[in-house]
Amino acid sequence: TTCRLVAVKNLRFFLDVFMKFVTIEKFSKSKLLIVGDGPEKEKLIHRVNELGITKNVTFLGFCSSIFPVLGKADVFVLPSLSEGFSISLVEAMLNNLVVISTNVGGPSEIVTHGYNGFLVDPKSEKQWLETLKSVFNLSLKNKAVIGNRAYERAKYFSLENYGQHLIRLYTTYNQNSNTACGVEVLRLGFARNYDKERFDLRIVCTNAKGPIKEALEKEGIQIIQVGSFKSPFEIKKYKKVLGVIKQFS
């Protein structure tokens, strides 16, 4: 799995499930790779020691590129209690991996259970164990079929496809206008109305200037600028934007 190590990612629960999974002789050599960092890391390491599964669990910390790690994996798991749009899940699917995710938020719309991945109740130990056993018992052929379906589904959410959607969105507005366009107004409206007690909002953008920037800063919103465009659309810039976003997700 790859995620920020915070309570909502439900990793403590999953470690308990994984401990029971590896006590089954057939799966005793299974390895869990945890990519990411966060405030729960020390607690999770302590839990791994308590459960006696230090040989089965490796904390890899933050990785600037996840694909080399995904290339070594057989299965990707996402045990979150809640989830928005999961970049990590899509990255795993783009790597043709069989994915097991909790049936919440974005993943429930990305994954079709039993077709291009598997969905489970985030709090059901029984469902997790049964699904893990079923997936690890799949033939190589069936894993490949599900992995290929996952890849085809994930392509819809790829950076390139997302970029094309952005182009269509932004070109519906007059980019030469000095006034805020619809997208900027929407962004400002969200910034003014989000729940500040529950969320720590940052806005990552390529052009941070003008009245919208000033208005957002007055709302106490941190603006992270990653550079400006030399052409109407540059894929590399959006990769940089996504990299910054992942550090806080």
Side-chain angles (χ1 to χ4, degrees), residues 95-242:
N95 214 63
N96 294 80
L97 285 176
V98 177
V99 298
I100 309 174
S101 173
T102 45
N103 191 15
V104 296
S108 66
E109 298 180 19
I110 297 169
V111 176
T112 300
H113 180 69
Y115 180 75
N116 56 18
F118 298 88
L119 296 169
V120 296
D121 184 325
K123 297 180 180 180
S124 174
E125 185 178 280
K126 181 179 179 181
Q127 277 192 30
W128 266 110
L129 278 172
E130 291 303 315
T131 304
L132 283 168
K133 287 189 288 185
S134 295
V135 168
F136 276 81
N137 281 325
L138 287 171
S139 67
L140 291 176
K141 180 180 178 180
N142 286 337
K143 282 184 180 178
V145 169
I146 295 172
N148 287 335
R149 290 171 180 167
Y151 173 77
E152 290 300 320
R153 175 59 172 156
K155 281 198 302 184
Y156 177 79
F157 303 101
S158 69
L159 183 62
E160 288 75 13
N161 197 47
Y162 176 63
Q164 294 303 317
H165 281 296
L166 279 181
I167 290 173
R168 288 193 291 270
L169 177 62
Y170 279 102
T171 52
T172 59
Y173 299 98
N174 181 3
Q175 295 186 0
N176 296 319
S177 172
N178 292 322
T179 59
C181 73
V183 176
E184 290 174 320
V185 171
L186 179 64
R187 185 163 52 204
L188 181 57
F190 176 76
R192 285 175 170 164
N193 293 287
Y194 82 102
D195 188 342
K196 295 178 176 62
E197 296 297 320
R198 295 181 59 199
F199 301 103
D200 180 14
L201 180 64
R202 298 172 177 86
I203 291 180
V204 183
C205 57
T206 55
N207 294 292
K209 60 183 179 180
I212 291 295
K213 178 177 182 290
E214 294 173 6
L216 289 169
E217 289 177 339
K218 285 182 180 179
E219 297 294 331
I221 307 301
Q222 181 184 355
I223 309 294
I224 303 172
Q225 183 170 345
V226 295
S228 58
F229 286 139
K230 294 179 181 178
S231 62
F233 183 70
E234 295 178 79
I235 288 292
K236 288 183 179 180
K237 282 286 166 56
Y238 276 93
K239 287 183 177 179
K240 190 173 182 181
V241 170
L242 291 176

Side-chain angles (χ1 to χ4, degrees), residues 25-118:
E25 185 175 355
K26 184 176 181 179
F27 310 118
S28 61
K29 295 183 180 180
S30 299
K31 305 290 184 182
L32 173 63
L33 304 179
I34 299 176
V35 179
D37 213 335
E40 292 285 307
K41 184 173 182 178
E42 293 304 318
K43 292 180 181 179
L44 293 170
I45 291 174
H46 180 68
R47 186 58 179 163
V48 166
N49 291 330
E50 283 184 333
L51 295 170
I53 53 174
T54 54
K55 292 182 179 179
N56 300 89
V57 181
T58 301
F59 290 86
L60 296 176
F62 174 76
C63 293
S64 57
S65 176
I66 189 61
F67 288 104
V69 179
L70 294 175
K72 299 176 182 178
D74 297 307
V75 177
F76 178 85
V77 297
L78 188 69
S80 305
L81 291 171
S82 66
E83 193 74 46
F85 175 80
S86 175
I87 295 174
S88 297
L89 178 65
V90 171
E91 287 176 334
M93 295 171 74
L94 284 171
N95 214 63
N96 294 80
L97 285 176
V98 177
V99 298
I100 309 174
S101 173
T102 45
N103 191 15
V104 296
S108 66
E109 298 180 19
I110 297 169
V111 176
T112 300
H113 180 69
Y115 180 75
N116 56 18
F118 298 88

